[in-house]
Amino acid sequence: MLHVYLSGPITGTEDYKDRFEFGEAKVHQKFRDTARAINPVKIGDQLPENISYEGIMQICFDTIKACDIVLLMPGWERSMGCNQEYGYAIGIGKEVVRWEEWF
């Protein structure tokens, strides 16, 4: 099973939950039962409310490390967190795919 980490803007956006749900659906549609989209929004919903931004990013990095591919969703370029995820993924040799390459 291929694990695809969804990287998209969250902070400062209102529709991020819908966008990440859509991303999950698109990955499932493209790969059927051979890939699973890893949604950091759902992970974040399980975290304590008082966790720091740095703590959240560390969890994201650990999750990326466990995944096969990072999928950069639209708007990632303008997101500090997505840019950090992108840099981390490249730094550890993960495959990175832009949304437009698949969809």
Side-chain angles (χ1 to χ4, degrees), residues 23 31 34 50 86 90 94 99:
F31 292 102
T34 62
N50 63 344
Y86 171 74
I90 293 296
K94 291 292 176 179
W99 182 266

Side-chain angles (χ1 to χ4, degrees), residues 51-87:
I51 191 167
S52 68
Y53 179 80
E54 292 77 17
I56 291 170
M57 289 308 300
Q58 186 58 57
I59 291 167
C60 291
F61 297 151
D62 291 343
T63 305
I64 288 169
K65 193 175 196 178
C67 290
D68 303 297
I69 297 174
V70 173
L71 175 61
L72 300 172
M73 297 171 61
W76 73 272
E77 305 94 337
R78 296 179 302 279
S79 165
M80 182 175 67
C82 292
N83 275 278
Q84 290 178 46
E85 291 172 341
Y86 171 74

Side-chain angles (χ1 to χ4, degrees), residues 20-21 46 53 66 75 84 96:
F20 276 81
E21 288 283 336
Q46 303 299 312
Y53 179 80
Q84 290 178 46
V96 177

